[in-house]
């Protein structure tokens, strides 16, 4: 008889169900399988039937290993962060403290330190009172001394402080907070209206269009196609990292060579950079591109002075339009063919502005947060204003101007650091219209370090206030419609340039921390949490991929309100830093140094002399001399991060306020302030955008 295979003993089951059936095969070489019951072969297998105790143990061990690995990873990250803080703050390794402007900000730092020490002392007392059940003196177990001893004296002082706080301090803070809340609501309504306008544009698919063939000549005797004369300007100053990619992109634009002239407007004070840019211009000139190099002997007025000097050339009168690109911008070859045709049959049009796109928007957290702000600025603010008002602030680059509009508006003026906004306001007062092309994008960079970003934001927020002081009389006396004057004064300048940084700084960086000292003036939850979150959601809508960063974005904007408020005050009252221009540091993904190093490696491999961009023999000799001087000179010390002491002290102050809010049993308030304090801490340590050495 054939052997019987019975697996029931493996599972420890002695009882058998059903009638045994034996199936025999004719071939004796095959085994016989016994089926326990006619339906057992078709009965569904239980999920846990195939697992024994050993398998369950391995699964649990695997899950425990994963959990331990996750905890170990978090511990490693936390330990690395503590080590970096210890190295920078205690041992001061890899920290370069700027020697200039050491006296500036010391008073503010001392004030913040006094507030910090005082808040810590009061917080310690309130924590003790909270743990002992002394809250609001309502506990029956609290013994209030009536003697003239030390405890009685402290009690009298504390009661006097409560009375003074409730009668004199709280009303002032409440009035100021109510005023800021009103401004906050007005600004929120403005953001909401802009978002609704953007939704309407998307729903109706409204955008500027080009009718027919724009370059086809209407004159029968003229050639088939007619292209207007276009002047392209590239202003730059010590742009070693990005000059080559910008010049290369502009020189490859698709436009007849006899109808375009490229001006490289170099304000560099470094001779080595000047010769490198000259060599690059010479290379493209030898390829047949109509390009010239200009360098000012008297470099005044920053970018406005540079553009003004270039427009004073005699040959400019032969050109009808001028396109402007900063040194880090890389236009596509079809840029002029997508922008210039909008001027045809539209004599009132003075400016066509393209949108910016960023090559390094995913580089770090700081660049991602900047991308959120700038996407909202272009797709919502500029697109809505351009569609419904035919006016918005010129961005200073990636735009095409009608030269007649520039001349009739007074040309470039050197009175502010926002010459782009200045010329846009004056052109609007003269009746010129603007068009914003959201579909035409030009690649550029955003600052990758907090230091560069802070300087850029200072210039962007101090210049508009300085311009407002200068333009207000001209706006009032202009001949434009009354509603356009109101839009310029109340919306364009006051609401979006002055009120926004004022209430953000006052409400979230002053009144909110003061609530730990004065709980009678505590802000409602919808002001400090709900409405800011809703506004942040609206800001992120143009860039849906940034939704995971909504919390860092909301908190980081509050931290930057300190810098923006400082810049706004300096521009409004004409302080010393209001006319300070610092060139934003660029990274240059395809920079000059990288390309030159690659060329050197190729030349060494092939044992051939190095060729420097088709320059002449004289320029080649000068470049070789500069390279020899660079090799002989000592290598510069690597510049590392600074410690932002004011931001760091303010971070701990807000963290203290967050713990105080926990005592008021408002959990959301606590977590909001806690995250805000942590964000200040990160900014203070300059961990965003730069690697700690």
């Amino acid at each position: 008889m054939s052997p019987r295979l019975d697996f029931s003993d493996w599972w420890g089951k002695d009882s058998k169900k059903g009638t045994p059936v034996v199936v025999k095969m004719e071939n004796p070489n095959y085994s016989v399988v016994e089926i326990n019951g006619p339906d057992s072969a078709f009965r569904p297998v239980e999920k846990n039937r195939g697992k024994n105790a050993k398998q369950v143990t391995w699964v649990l061990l695997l899950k425990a290993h994963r959990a331990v690995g996750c905890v170990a990873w978090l511990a490693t990250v936390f330990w690395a962060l503590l080590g970096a803080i210890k190295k920078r703050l205690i041992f001061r390794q890899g920290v370069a403290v700027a020697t200039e402007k050491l006296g500036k900000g010391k008073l503010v730092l001392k004030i913040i330190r006094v507030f910090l020490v005082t808040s810590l002392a009061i917080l310690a007392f309130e924590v003790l009172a909270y743990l002992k059940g002394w809250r609001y003196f309502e506990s029956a177990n609290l013994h209030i001394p009536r003697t003239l001893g030390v405890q009685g004296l402290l009690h009298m002082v504390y009661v006097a402080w409560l009375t003074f706080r409730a009668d004199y301090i709280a009303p002032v803070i409440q009035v100021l907070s109510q005023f800021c809340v009103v401004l906050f609501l007005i600004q929120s309504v403005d953001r909401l209206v802009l978002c609704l306008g953007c939704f309407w544009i998307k729903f109706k698919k409204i955008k500027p269009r080009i009718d027919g063939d724009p370059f086809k000549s209407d004159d029968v005797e003229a050639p088939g196609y007619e292209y207007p004369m276009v002047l392209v300007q590239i202003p730059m100053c010590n742009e070693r990292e990005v000059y080559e990619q910008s010049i290369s992109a502009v020189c490859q634009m698709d436009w007849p060579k006899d109808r375009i002239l490229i001006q490289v407007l170099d304000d560099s004070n470094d001779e080595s950079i000047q010769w490198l840019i000259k060599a690059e211009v010479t290379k493209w000139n030898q390829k047949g591109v109509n390009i010239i190099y200009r360098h000012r002997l008297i470099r005044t007025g920053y970018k406005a002075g540079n553009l003004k000097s270039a427009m004073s050339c005699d040959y400019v009168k032969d050109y009808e339009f001028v396109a402007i690109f900063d040194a880090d911008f890389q236009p596509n070859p079809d840029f002029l063919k997508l922008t210039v045709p909008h001027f045809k049959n539209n004599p009132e049009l003075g400016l066509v502005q393209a949108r910016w796109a960023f090559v390094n928007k995913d580089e770090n957290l700081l660049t991602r947060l900047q991308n959120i702000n700038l996407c909202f600025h272009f797709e919502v603010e500029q697109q809505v204003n351009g569609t419904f008002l035919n006016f918005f602030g010129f961005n200073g680059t990636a735009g095409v101007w009608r030269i007649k509009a520039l001349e009739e508006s007074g040309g470039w003026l050197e009175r502010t650091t926002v010459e782009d906004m200045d010329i846009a306001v004056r052109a609007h007062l003269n009746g010129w219209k603007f068009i914003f092309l959201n579909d035409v994008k030009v690649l550029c960079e955003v600052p990758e370090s907090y230091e560069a970003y802070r300087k850029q934001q200072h210039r962007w927020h101090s210049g508009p206030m300085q311009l407002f002081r200068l333009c207000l009389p001209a706006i009032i006396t202009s001949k434009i419609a009354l509603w356009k004057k109101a839009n310029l004064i109340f919306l364009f300048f006051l609401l979006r340039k002055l009120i926004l940084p004022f209430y953000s700084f006052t409400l979230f960086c002053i009144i909110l921390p003061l609530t730990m000292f004065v709980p009678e003036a505590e802000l409602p939850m919808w002001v400090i949490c709900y409405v800011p979150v809703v506004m942040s959601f609206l800001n992120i809508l143009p860039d849906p991929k940034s939704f995971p960063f909504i919390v860092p974005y909301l908190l980081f904007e509050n931290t930057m309100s300190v810098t923006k408020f400082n810049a706004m005050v300096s521009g409004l009252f004409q302080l010393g830093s209001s006319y300070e221009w610092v060139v934003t540091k660029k990274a240059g993904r395809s920079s000059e140094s990288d390309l030159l190093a690659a060329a050197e490696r190729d030349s060494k491999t092939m044992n051939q002399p190095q060729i420097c961009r088709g320059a002449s023999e004289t320029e080649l000799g000068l470049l070789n001399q500069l390279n020899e001087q660079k090799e002989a000179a000592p290598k510069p010390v690597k510049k590392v991060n600074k410690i932002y002491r004011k931001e760091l002290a303010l971070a701990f102050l807000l963290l203290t306020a967050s713990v105080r809010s926990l005592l008021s049993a408002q959990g959301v308030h606590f977590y909001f302030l806690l995250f805000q304090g942590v964000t200040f801490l990160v900014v203070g340590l300059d961990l965003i955008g730069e690697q700690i050495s």
Side-chain angles (χ1 to χ4, degrees):
M1 184 176 178
S2 301
R4 187 175 61 128
L5 300 178
D6 189 2
F7 298 94
S8 62
D9 295 339
W10 287 22
W11 307 99
K13 296 182 179 180
D14 298 334
S15 61
K16 301 179 180 179
K17 298 180 180 180
T19 304
V21 178
V22 178
V23 180
K24 297 183 179 180
M25 307 300 295
E26 295 180 359
N27 190 348
N29 295 328
Y30 288 92
S31 303
V32 179
V33 180
E34 179 180 328
I35 303 176
N36 295 330
D39 56 343
S40 62
F42 306 97
R43 187 179 296 116
V45 181
E46 298 178 3
K47 293 183 178 180
N48 297 329
R49 189 172 181 179
K51 298 180 181 179
N52 54 22
K54 184 180 293 185
Q55 291 175 330
V56 173
T57 303
W58 278 109
V59 171
L60 293 177
L61 288 175
L62 180 60
K63 292 183 178 180
H65 176 72
R66 291 178 178 176
V68 171
C70 181
V71 173
W73 179 80
L74 292 175
T76 303
V77 172
F78 182 70
W79 186 258
L81 180 61
L82 290 180
I85 296 174
K86 179 179 179 181
K87 181 177 65 174
R88 288 169 58 83
L89 297 182
I90 300 177
F91 299 109
R92 304 192 61 79
Q93 297 178 3
V95 178
V97 181
T99 56
E100 69 276 5
K101 300 181 181 179
L102 287 178
K104 183 179 179 180
K106 283 188 176 181
L107 179 60
V108 178
L109 180 58
K110 290 181 180 179
I111 295 174
I112 295 177
R113 284 177 176 174
V114 170
F115 269 95
L116 179 59
V117 173
T118 307
S119 62
L120 287 175
I122 297 177
L123 178 63
F125 176 78
E126 292 201 6
V127 170
L128 180 62
Y130 183 81
L131 296 177
K132 295 293 185 178
W134 298 349
R135 296 189 65 190
Y136 305 109
F137 296 95
E138 296 175 356
S139 177
N141 299 325
L142 178 61
H143 172 67
I144 302 178
R146 300 296 180 181
T147 63
L148 297 178
V150 177
Q151 294 182 350
L153 181 60
L154 292 177
H155 172 67
M156 292 174 59
V157 172
Y158 186 66
V159 172
W161 157 249
L162 292 179
T163 305
F164 179 78
R165 184 179 72 184
D167 295 341
Y168 298 100
I169 299 180
V172 177
I173 298 179
Q174 287 177 349
V175 172
L176 183 59
S177 63
Q178 291 174 2
F179 177 69
C180 292
V181 167
V182 171
L183 298 180
F184 176 46
L185 293 178
I186 294 175
Q187 196 268 340
S188 300
V189 171
D190 176 63
R191 289 291 180 95
L192 182 61
V193 171
L194 289 175
C195 290
L196 293 177
C198 183
F199 291 150
W200 181 258
I201 292 174
K202 296 293 184 182
F203 178 72
K204 291 293 185 179
K205 298 181 180 180
I206 303 174
K207 64 178 182 179
R209 302 182 185 275
I210 302 174
D211 297 330
D213 192 347
F215 303 110
K216 190 173 182 180
S217 178
D218 298 332
D219 191 357
V220 180
E221 299 179 358
Y225 289 89
E226 182 178 355
Y227 292 85
M229 298 287 287
V230 178
L231 178 68
V232 181
Q233 296 177 337
I234 312 177
M236 59 180 62
C237 180
N238 296 326
E239 305 283 2
R240 182 187 293 272
E241 295 82 9
V242 294
Y243 77 90
E244 184 177 14
Q245 62 191 33
S246 176
I247 295 176
S248 174
V250 172
C251 290
Q252 297 180 56
M253 285 197 298
D254 186 12
W255 201 257
K257 295 182 178 180
D258 59 336
R259 312 295 292 178
I260 186 174
L261 173 63
I262 302 173
Q263 288 181 321
V264 178
L265 311 177
D266 184 23
D267 257 8
S268 304
N269 53 13
D270 189 338
E271 292 186 1
S272 62
I273 300 178
Q274 295 177 21
W275 284 109
L276 288 173
I277 298 175
K278 284 182 181 180
E280 184 70 17
V281 171
T282 303
K283 180 189 76 172
W284 287 102
N285 196 4
Q286 292 177 353
K287 292 183 179 181
V289 178
N290 194 10
I291 182 173
I292 60 174
Y293 174 86
R294 279 183 55 86
H295 184 269
R296 294 191 298 163
L297 297 178
I298 303 177
R299 298 185 296 272
T300 58
Y302 302 114
K303 181 180 176 181
N306 197 0
L307 295 174
K308 182 179 179 180
S309 174
M311 294 299 295
S312 63
C313 298
D314 295 336
Y315 54 79
V316 174
K317 64 179 182 295
D318 298 329
Y319 294 84
E320 188 176 358
F321 306 103
V322 56
I324 303 173
F325 300 99
D326 283 349
D328 60 316
F329 279 72
Q330 308 168 45
N332 292 328
D334 59 348
F335 176 83
L336 293 179
K337 290 188 175 181
L338 295 175
T339 55
V340 175
H342 289 277
F343 289 97
K344 188 175 182 181
N345 300 325
N346 195 355
E348 297 181 350
L349 183 61
L351 168 67
V352 175
Q353 173 71 61
R355 180 175 175 172
W356 298 0
F358 310 106
V359 296
N360 60 339
K361 63 180 180 180
D362 298 326
E363 184 66 22
N364 51 50
L365 179 60
L366 179 62
T367 58
R368 293 177 185 271
L369 300 181
Q370 293 180 73
N371 182 61
I372 295 174
N373 259 342
L374 292 172
C375 284
F376 182 85
H377 170 69
F378 289 115
E379 189 158 346
V380 178
E381 290 183 349
Q382 292 207 314
Q383 185 175 211
V384 171
N385 290 326
T387 301
F388 297 105
L389 303 179
N390 297 120
F391 167 72
F392 48 84
F394 176 47
N395 297 320
T397 179
V400 182
W401 276 95
R402 190 189 297 269
I403 296 181
K404 182 180 179 181
L406 290 177
E407 294 175 349
E408 291 186 357
S409 302
W412 300 103
L413 299 182
E414 307 169 9
R415 55 183 182 175
T416 65
T417 56
V418 285
E419 75 293 329
D420 46 6
M421 186 181 295
D422 187 3
I423 188 63
V425 171
R426 287 185 281 117
H428 180 59
L429 295 179
N430 279 274
W432 293 98
K433 296 182 179 180
F434 302 163
I435 285 181
F436 178 77
L437 302 179
N438 191 52
D439 298 333
V440 181
K441 300 180 180 180
V442 182
L443 292 177
C444 61
E445 291 185 12
V446 289
E448 297 182 4
S449 67
Y450 176 70
E451 177 70 15
Y453 177 65
R454 189 178 67 168
K455 292 179 179 179
Q456 182 196 69
Q457 292 299 306
H458 186 278
R459 175 166 54 87
W460 284 5
H461 285 81
S462 64
M465 288 297 95
Q466 188 179 15
L467 178 64
F468 178 65
R469 289 170 53 96
L470 299 173
C471 287
L472 184 59
I475 295 174
I476 296 176
T477 59
S478 63
K479 298 181 180 180
I480 62 175
L482 183 61
W483 68 270
K484 291 184 177 181
K485 295 182 181 180
N487 172 68
L488 272 176
I489 295 175
F490 296 106
L491 294 181
F492 186 76
F493 278 112
L494 291 181
L495 183 61
R496 297 166 188 165
K497 302 299 187 298
L498 187 145
I499 291 178
L500 177 59
F502 171 77
Y503 88 76
S504 297
F505 173 75
T506 307
L507 191 63
F508 295 107
C509 295
I510 294 181
I511 297 178
L512 200 55
L514 283 178
T515 56
M516 71 166 295
F517 300 99
V518 188
E520 294 87 353
E522 194 158 356
L523 296 172
M525 289 300 301
W526 63 270
V527 173
I528 62 177
C529 184
Y530 304 138
V531 176
V533 169
V534 173
M535 291 298 104
S536 298
F537 269 106
L538 293 178
N539 287 1
I540 292 181
L541 283 180
D543 186 25
K545 295 182 180 180
S546 300
F547 268 103
F549 305 98
I550 183 171
V551 174
Y553 169 74
L554 173 62
L555 304 176
F556 185 72
E557 281 303 299
N558 287 337
T559 65
M560 286 306 300
S561 63
V562 180
T563 298
K564 295 176 181 178
F565 179 79
N566 182 26
M568 183 266 293
V569 172
S570 65
L572 188 62
F573 297 100
Q574 298 289 323
L575 301 181
S577 59
S578 61
Y579 199 70
E580 180 182 2
W581 182 294
V582 179
V583 178
T584 305
K585 184 180 179 181
K586 314 296 192 310
R589 294 305 170 191
S590 56
S591 63
E592 158 69 20
S593 57
D594 296 336
L595 296 176
L596 194 58
E600 289 177 355
R601 287 194 300 267
D602 295 339
S603 62
K604 289 179 180 179
T605 304
M606 300 175 63
N607 295 323
Q608 293 180 354
Q610 182 182 354
I611 301 177
C612 294
R613 297 180 176 81
S616 62
E617 296 182 359
T618 304
E619 294 172 345
L620 185 60
L622 291 173
L623 285 175
N624 290 333
Q625 293 179 4
L626 291 173
N627 292 331
E628 293 176 359
Q629 293 177 2
K630 287 182 180 179
E631 294 177 357
K635 295 183 179 181
V637 180
K638 182 182 177 181
K639 185 178 180 181
V640 293
N641 306 358
K642 297 189 300 183
I643 294 179
Y644 299 94
R645 299 179 181 178
K646 288 184 290 186
E647 288 85 349
L648 188 60
L650 188 56
F652 284 111
L653 179 60
L654 293 181
L655 283 173
T656 306
S658 66
V659 178
R660 163 62 180 81
S661 65
L662 177 62
L663 302 179
S664 62
Q666 294 185 7
V668 180
H669 187 185
F670 163 68
Y671 288 115
F672 179 82
L673 284 173
L674 180 62
F675 280 124
Q676 188 182 40
V678 171
T679 307
F680 263 110
L681 183 63
V682 172
V683 173
L685 292 176
D686 196 20
L687 297 179
I688 298 178
E690 294 185 10
Q691 183 179 5
I692 297 179
S693 57

